[in-house]
Amino acid sequence: MKAKKIVALLLASVMTLSLMACGGGSTPETTDPAVTDDVDEADDEEDVDAEDDVDDVADTEEDADDFEELLAEVIPEETVTLDVFDQLANYSGEQIGWFGQIMLEKFNVKLNIIPDPDGAGVYETRMESGNLGDIVIWGADGDEYLQAVEKGMLYDWNEDDLLSDYGPYIKENMPYALEKNTNLSGGTTYGYGFAVAVDSTERQDAMYTWDLRWDLYKELGYPEIKNLDDMVEVLAQMKEICPTDDNGKPTYGVSLFNDWDGDMVMFVKSLATAYYGYDEFGFGLYDPETQTYHPCLEEGGPYLESLKFYNTLYQRGLLDPDSQTQKNAGMTEDYQNGTAFLNIFNFLGSSLYNTEAHAAENKAMYPCPPSEAKPLIYGQNVYGGNRIWSIGAKSEYPELCMAILNWLSTPEGRMTSEYGPKDVCWYYGEDGKTYFTDLGRTAKLDGKTEMADGYSGTFEDGNFKMNNETWALDAANPDSNGETYNYRKWESFMSEPSCDIEADWREKTGCATPDEYMGSVGYALAPGTTYTAGVRSDELQVVWNQVATCIKDNSWRAIYASTDEEFDQIVADMIAQADEYGYDQCVEFQENEAKLRAAAEDAVK
């Protein structure tokens, strides 16, 4: 419909130009032949340009019609179930709720989400079976992905013009991300990485925001927080003035979970990222400013210092004792209910706590990093990140899978996966800007909001269970009037403070939004590059797995140490055990990777 309107406007402009050439318009007379000739030539050029524009739009409309015809041919008459092997998923089973309904409406499919929890052996089992699934989503573009490529477990996107015919939006708009995957995969395209950007010179929205219960912080009189020790003391004071949560249960400084542990304990390495500005990097952390690698067992290093922070919280009664055993869902409930006061991530802190109900009570979480912290902010990347979208080689429906990935990569698909059904939860106004509906705004701020307009369950029930991104949240949305996919930066959302406590935070920081504030304090930038993790040998991988288990298990033991002496002993034992497993081999490999990453960073400067 939009393309047809453009054609009509262009045709109208051509007709206007024709009328002017015939004397229908009022033009000044001239007796200078040269001027007359110039005007005639300009008119001729404008006519040709207008005709070319009409032809281009007509071609675009014809291509869209061709795609719709192809799409109609691959949408099944009877509902089919597609297996989605997803290393990023926190959910198992059929995609339900509003997004499941949209998949039925648009593609007549059901999505069966198959997660790959750490240590469960799902990846190995599916590789042995010879069938990874229909849609395959990778947590990283390293060893496991490359093994799948080598063993022919993924579908070649150029075979039978799969990408051209059923992924035209991806092909046209994500060329650099496709190129990166092609180079990574030995010359064949099997997918593309997540969070693709339009402009690599821009930074992403801050993620490590140190969200703190600002209402309690204000009540305490805004005590100075210079470092991690100061943060512990503030959390202890908060527990004194707020000993119970919304449901009358005990409160804590922080609540953790172990679902997302990788080579190290996720919250420990992420605290180092939030405080020191170092990025997770194998068994350790990488400083993008000095291009220095810090092994995780480095004495006095960022990982062990962060580990001690959580142990101190435990010893002070400020760590939720269920942290090691609960999953993401348990931690989510804690922050929704105000059980914990601090989260270094905005999407696990303020995004869960700052509901309209809490705002009505003048309660909210806002950024309050220690003054000595230097949180990491990632640069946008036209090449995409390391979490790959791909299709299984044994899928009976590769065209259908590609069509779904293509839709998820369109502005409408990206917006829908993030915010819910168009016109039900969000829409574009007459000014071209992006707006929430009343339902959409409430649902984004409180996932337990019941859906409407024929969509069942709560917004949270129907959340996009694939847990991956096509376009980066801060990438430009071409369907909007100069805005991005990030609702926090929509003109319509950045309105007056929602409550007195938000107004207080704004006044105290001098900033209107959390991202503006995080950009105003000291931060480290990790630029987007084409760097991809190297492949470990089979022998090294065995060593790597043993070391990873040793580090994660002992890190959790250290967090729950009752005394400083017990903590020190557990750490010493962890280092000794890791050395016996071959930790030094892992460090040597990663130090070389740091050199490769530094070279990739230098290439984009």
Side-chain angles (χ1 to χ4, degrees), residues 200-201 291 380-383 525-531 597-605:
S200 283
T201 65
Q291 299 180 326
Q380 294 203 50
N381 193 350
V382 296
Y383 297 99
L525 180 68
T529 71
T530 59
Y531 166 76
R597 175 169 176 171
E601 290 172 349
D602 291 340
V604 299
K605 289 180 180 178

PDB file of all heavy atoms in Angstrom, residues 200-201 291 380-383 525-531 597-605:
ATOM      1  N   SER A 200      27.974   1.728  12.198  1.00  0.00           N
ATOM      2  CA  SER A 200      28.933   1.262  13.205  1.00  0.00           C
ATOM      3  C   SER A 200      29.569   2.390  14.003  1.00  0.00           C
ATOM      4  O   SER A 200      30.288   2.137  14.965  1.00  0.00           O
ATOM      5  CB  SER A 200      30.034   0.429  12.543  1.00  0.00           C
ATOM      6  OG  SER A 200      29.576  -0.864  12.231  1.00  0.00           O
ATOM      7  N   THR A 201      29.322   3.630  13.623  1.00  0.00           N
ATOM      8  CA  THR A 201      29.910   4.737  14.374  1.00  0.00           C
ATOM      9  C   THR A 201      29.115   5.048  15.635  1.00  0.00           C
ATOM     10  O   THR A 201      29.570   5.806  16.494  1.00  0.00           O
ATOM     11  CB  THR A 201      30.000   6.018  13.511  1.00  0.00           C
ATOM     12  OG1 THR A 201      28.680   6.461  13.179  1.00  0.00           O
ATOM     13  CG2 THR A 201      30.791   5.750  12.245  1.00  0.00           C
ATOM     14  N   GLN A 291      43.632  -3.121  25.251  1.00  0.00           N
ATOM     15  CA  GLN A 291      43.751  -4.370  24.484  1.00  0.00           C
ATOM     16  C   GLN A 291      44.540  -5.418  25.279  1.00  0.00           C
ATOM     17  O   GLN A 291      45.350  -6.161  24.740  1.00  0.00           O
ATOM     18  CB  GLN A 291      44.383  -4.113  23.122  1.00  0.00           C
ATOM     19  CG  GLN A 291      43.554  -3.157  22.262  1.00  0.00           C
ATOM     20  CD  GLN A 291      44.150  -2.874  20.910  1.00  0.00           C
ATOM     21  OE1 GLN A 291      45.372  -2.817  20.765  1.00  0.00           O
ATOM     22  NE2 GLN A 291      43.308  -2.687  19.909  1.00  0.00           N
ATOM     23  N   GLN A 380      27.836  -0.267  18.109  1.00  0.00           N
ATOM     24  CA  GLN A 380      26.986  -0.947  17.146  1.00  0.00           C
ATOM     25  C   GLN A 380      27.850  -1.576  16.058  1.00  0.00           C
ATOM     26  O   GLN A 380      28.973  -1.139  15.805  1.00  0.00           O
ATOM     27  CB  GLN A 380      25.982   0.035  16.545  1.00  0.00           C
ATOM     28  CG  GLN A 380      24.983   0.559  17.562  1.00  0.00           C
ATOM     29  CD  GLN A 380      23.716   1.065  16.931  1.00  0.00           C
ATOM     30  OE1 GLN A 380      23.105   0.386  16.109  1.00  0.00           O
ATOM     31  NE2 GLN A 380      23.315   2.258  17.284  1.00  0.00           N
ATOM     32  N   ASN A 381      27.298  -2.589  15.396  1.00  0.00           N
ATOM     33  CA  ASN A 381      28.122  -3.387  14.490  1.00  0.00           C
ATOM     34  C   ASN A 381      27.325  -3.780  13.248  1.00  0.00           C
ATOM     35  O   ASN A 381      26.376  -4.565  13.339  1.00  0.00           O
ATOM     36  CB  ASN A 381      28.604  -4.645  15.220  1.00  0.00           C
ATOM     37  CG  ASN A 381      29.709  -5.366  14.483  1.00  0.00           C
ATOM     38  OD1 ASN A 381      30.013  -5.052  13.327  1.00  0.00           O
ATOM     39  ND2 ASN A 381      30.321  -6.333  15.125  1.00  0.00           N
ATOM     40  N   VAL A 382      27.708  -3.240  12.089  1.00  0.00           N
ATOM     41  CA  VAL A 382      27.011  -3.590  10.847  1.00  0.00           C
ATOM     42  C   VAL A 382      27.251  -5.051  10.474  1.00  0.00           C
ATOM     43  O   VAL A 382      26.518  -5.616   9.651  1.00  0.00           O
ATOM     44  CB  VAL A 382      27.447  -2.678   9.684  1.00  0.00           C
ATOM     45  CG1 VAL A 382      27.056  -1.239   9.942  1.00  0.00           C
ATOM     46  CG2 VAL A 382      28.944  -2.795   9.409  1.00  0.00           C
ATOM     47  N   TYR A 383      28.274  -5.658  11.072  1.00  0.00           N
ATOM     48  CA  TYR A 383      28.580  -7.061  10.780  1.00  0.00           C
ATOM     49  C   TYR A 383      27.785  -8.024  11.669  1.00  0.00           C
ATOM     50  O   TYR A 383      27.817  -9.228  11.466  1.00  0.00           O
ATOM     51  CB  TYR A 383      30.074  -7.329  10.965  1.00  0.00           C
ATOM     52  CG  TYR A 383      30.951  -6.547  10.021  1.00  0.00           C
ATOM     53  CD1 TYR A 383      31.586  -5.385  10.436  1.00  0.00           C
ATOM     54  CD2 TYR A 383      31.129  -6.956   8.703  1.00  0.00           C
ATOM     55  CE1 TYR A 383      32.384  -4.648   9.571  1.00  0.00           C
ATOM     56  CE2 TYR A 383      31.921  -6.224   7.828  1.00  0.00           C
ATOM     57  CZ  TYR A 383      32.542  -5.084   8.268  1.00  0.00           C
ATOM     58  OH  TYR A 383      33.326  -4.358   7.414  1.00  0.00           O
ATOM     59  N   LEU A 525      34.330   1.705  25.872  1.00  0.00           N
ATOM     60  CA  LEU A 525      33.626   1.349  24.644  1.00  0.00           C
ATOM     61  C   LEU A 525      34.281   0.131  24.006  1.00  0.00           C
ATOM     62  O   LEU A 525      35.494   0.105  23.790  1.00  0.00           O
ATOM     63  CB  LEU A 525      33.643   2.514  23.658  1.00  0.00           C
ATOM     64  CG  LEU A 525      32.941   2.265  22.316  1.00  0.00           C
ATOM     65  CD1 LEU A 525      31.435   2.139  22.525  1.00  0.00           C
ATOM     66  CD2 LEU A 525      33.256   3.380  21.329  1.00  0.00           C
ATOM     67  N   ALA A 526      33.469  -0.876  23.701  1.00  0.00           N
ATOM     68  CA  ALA A 526      33.933  -2.046  22.958  1.00  0.00           C
ATOM     69  C   ALA A 526      33.415  -1.923  21.534  1.00  0.00           C
ATOM     70  O   ALA A 526      32.224  -2.122  21.279  1.00  0.00           O
ATOM     71  CB  ALA A 526      33.416  -3.334  23.596  1.00  0.00           C
ATOM     72  N   PRO A 527      34.261  -1.559  20.585  1.00  0.00           N
ATOM     73  CA  PRO A 527      33.785  -1.319  19.219  1.00  0.00           C
ATOM     74  C   PRO A 527      33.358  -2.603  18.520  1.00  0.00           C
ATOM     75  O   PRO A 527      33.864  -3.689  18.811  1.00  0.00           O
ATOM     76  CB  PRO A 527      35.025  -0.709  18.537  1.00  0.00           C
ATOM     77  CG  PRO A 527      36.181  -1.284  19.292  1.00  0.00           C
ATOM     78  CD  PRO A 527      35.721  -1.392  20.714  1.00  0.00           C
ATOM     79  N   GLY A 528      32.419  -2.465  17.598  1.00  0.00           N
ATOM     80  CA  GLY A 528      32.008  -3.605  16.794  1.00  0.00           C
ATOM     81  C   GLY A 528      33.064  -3.904  15.742  1.00  0.00           C
ATOM     82  O   GLY A 528      33.586  -3.001  15.088  1.00  0.00           O
ATOM     83  N   THR A 529      33.405  -5.184  15.583  1.00  0.00           N
ATOM     84  CA  THR A 529      34.423  -5.583  14.609  1.00  0.00           C
ATOM     85  C   THR A 529      34.003  -6.894  13.935  1.00  0.00           C
ATOM     86  O   THR A 529      32.950  -7.461  14.244  1.00  0.00           O
ATOM     87  CB  THR A 529      35.792  -5.821  15.280  1.00  0.00           C
ATOM     88  OG1 THR A 529      35.732  -7.032  16.059  1.00  0.00           O
ATOM     89  CG2 THR A 529      36.165  -4.665  16.187  1.00  0.00           C
ATOM     90  N   THR A 530      34.854  -7.376  13.065  1.00  0.00           N
ATOM     91  CA  THR A 530      34.615  -8.677  12.411  1.00  0.00           C
ATOM     92  C   THR A 530      35.286  -9.812  13.175  1.00  0.00           C
ATOM     93  O   THR A 530      35.300 -10.946  12.695  1.00  0.00           O
ATOM     94  CB  THR A 530      35.157  -8.663  10.971  1.00  0.00           C
ATOM     95  OG1 THR A 530      36.564  -8.372  11.006  1.00  0.00           O
ATOM     96  CG2 THR A 530      34.445  -7.621  10.129  1.00  0.00           C
ATOM     97  N   TYR A 531      35.829  -9.521  14.359  1.00  0.00           N
ATOM     98  CA  TYR A 531      36.526 -10.577  15.110  1.00  0.00           C
ATOM     99  C   TYR A 531      35.579 -11.736  15.410  1.00  0.00           C
ATOM    100  O   TYR A 531      34.442 -11.548  15.831  1.00  0.00           O
ATOM    101  CB  TYR A 531      37.083 -10.035  16.429  1.00  0.00           C
ATOM    102  CG  TYR A 531      37.508 -11.150  17.374  1.00  0.00           C
ATOM    103  CD1 TYR A 531      38.694 -11.850  17.157  1.00  0.00           C
ATOM    104  CD2 TYR A 531      36.688 -11.535  18.420  1.00  0.00           C
ATOM    105  CE1 TYR A 531      39.065 -12.894  17.987  1.00  0.00           C
ATOM    106  CE2 TYR A 531      37.052 -12.577  19.269  1.00  0.00           C
ATOM    107  CZ  TYR A 531      38.241 -13.259  19.049  1.00  0.00           C
ATOM    108  OH  TYR A 531      38.601 -14.295  19.869  1.00  0.00           O
ATOM    109  N   ARG A 597      41.872 -10.142  18.275  1.00  0.00           N
ATOM    110  CA  ARG A 597      40.800  -9.183  18.530  1.00  0.00           C
ATOM    111  C   ARG A 597      41.334  -7.759  18.441  1.00  0.00           C
ATOM    112  O   ARG A 597      40.675  -6.869  17.874  1.00  0.00           O
ATOM    113  CB  ARG A 597      40.171  -9.432  19.895  1.00  0.00           C
ATOM    114  CG  ARG A 597      39.123  -8.396  20.273  1.00  0.00           C
ATOM    115  CD  ARG A 597      38.326  -8.808  21.482  1.00  0.00           C
ATOM    116  NE  ARG A 597      37.386  -7.764  21.878  1.00  0.00           N
ATOM    117  CZ  ARG A 597      36.437  -7.906  22.807  1.00  0.00           C
ATOM    118  NH1 ARG A 597      36.310  -9.053  23.437  1.00  0.00           N
ATOM    119  NH2 ARG A 597      35.632  -6.916  23.102  1.00  0.00           N
ATOM    120  N   ALA A 598      42.517  -7.526  18.993  1.00  0.00           N
ATOM    121  CA  ALA A 598      43.112  -6.193  18.936  1.00  0.00           C
ATOM    122  C   ALA A 598      43.347  -5.767  17.491  1.00  0.00           C
ATOM    123  O   ALA A 598      43.110  -4.608  17.121  1.00  0.00           O
ATOM    124  CB  ALA A 598      44.426  -6.182  19.712  1.00  0.00           C
ATOM    125  N   ALA A 599      43.804  -6.701  16.656  1.00  0.00           N
ATOM    126  CA  ALA A 599      44.034  -6.388  15.249  1.00  0.00           C
ATOM    127  C   ALA A 599      42.724  -6.031  14.551  1.00  0.00           C
ATOM    128  O   ALA A 599      42.676  -5.112  13.715  1.00  0.00           O
ATOM    129  CB  ALA A 599      44.697  -7.578  14.555  1.00  0.00           C
ATOM    130  N   ALA A 600      41.646  -6.745  14.898  1.00  0.00           N
ATOM    131  CA  ALA A 600      40.336  -6.455  14.303  1.00  0.00           C
ATOM    132  C   ALA A 600      39.833  -5.084  14.748  1.00  0.00           C
ATOM    133  O   ALA A 600      39.212  -4.356  13.971  1.00  0.00           O
ATOM    134  CB  ALA A 600      39.332  -7.544  14.683  1.00  0.00           C
ATOM    135  N   GLU A 601      40.093  -4.740  15.999  1.00  0.00           N
ATOM    136  CA  GLU A 601      39.697  -3.419  16.496  1.00  0.00           C
ATOM    137  C   GLU A 601      40.484  -2.313  15.805  1.00  0.00           C
ATOM    138  O   GLU A 601      39.935  -1.283  15.424  1.00  0.00           O
ATOM    139  CB  GLU A 601      39.913  -3.352  18.008  1.00  0.00           C
ATOM    140  CG  GLU A 601      38.942  -4.202  18.811  1.00  0.00           C
ATOM    141  CD  GLU A 601      39.301  -4.262  20.279  1.00  0.00           C
ATOM    142  OE1 GLU A 601      40.403  -3.833  20.650  1.00  0.00           O
ATOM    143  OE2 GLU A 601      38.467  -4.754  21.055  1.00  0.00           O
ATOM    144  N   ASP A 602      41.774  -2.545  15.636  1.00  0.00           N
ATOM    145  CA  ASP A 602      42.619  -1.547  14.976  1.00  0.00           C
ATOM    146  C   ASP A 602      42.164  -1.315  13.538  1.00  0.00           C
ATOM    147  O   ASP A 602      42.295  -0.200  13.006  1.00  0.00           O
ATOM    148  CB  ASP A 602      44.081  -1.990  14.991  1.00  0.00           C
ATOM    149  CG  ASP A 602      44.677  -1.973  16.395  1.00  0.00           C
ATOM    150  OD1 ASP A 602      44.111  -1.289  17.272  1.00  0.00           O
ATOM    151  OD2 ASP A 602      45.706  -2.649  16.601  1.00  0.00           O
ATOM    152  N   ALA A 603      41.630  -2.361  12.925  1.00  0.00           N
ATOM    153  CA  ALA A 603      41.221  -2.267  11.516  1.00  0.00           C
ATOM    154  C   ALA A 603      40.015  -1.353  11.319  1.00  0.00           C
ATOM    155  O   ALA A 603      39.808  -0.829  10.224  1.00  0.00           O
ATOM    156  CB  ALA A 603      40.911  -3.657  10.969  1.00  0.00           C
ATOM    157  N   VAL A 604      39.215  -1.156  12.382  1.00  0.00           N
ATOM    158  CA  VAL A 604      38.020  -0.321  12.233  1.00  0.00           C
ATOM    159  C   VAL A 604      38.218   1.084  12.786  1.00  0.00           C
ATOM    160  O   VAL A 604      37.297   1.897  12.765  1.00  0.00           O
ATOM    161  CB  VAL A 604      36.792  -0.968  12.933  1.00  0.00           C
ATOM    162  CG1 VAL A 604      36.482  -2.308  12.317  1.00  0.00           C
ATOM    163  CG2 VAL A 604      37.028  -1.109  14.441  1.00  0.00           C
ATOM    164  N   LYS A 605      39.391   1.367  13.320  1.00  0.00           N
ATOM    165  CA  LYS A 605      39.644   2.700  13.885  1.00  0.00           C
ATOM    166  C   LYS A 605      39.889   3.706  12.770  1.00  0.00           C
ATOM    167  O   LYS A 605      40.420   3.379  11.721  1.00  0.00           O
ATOM    168  CB  LYS A 605      40.843   2.651  14.836  1.00  0.00           C
ATOM    169  CG  LYS A 605      40.537   1.905  16.147  1.00  0.00           C
ATOM    170  CD  LYS A 605      41.744   1.880  17.054  1.00  0.00           C
ATOM    171  CE  LYS A 605      41.430   1.143  18.355  1.00  0.00           C
ATOM    172  NZ  LYS A 605      42.617   1.068  19.239  1.00  0.00           N
TER     173      LYS A 605
END
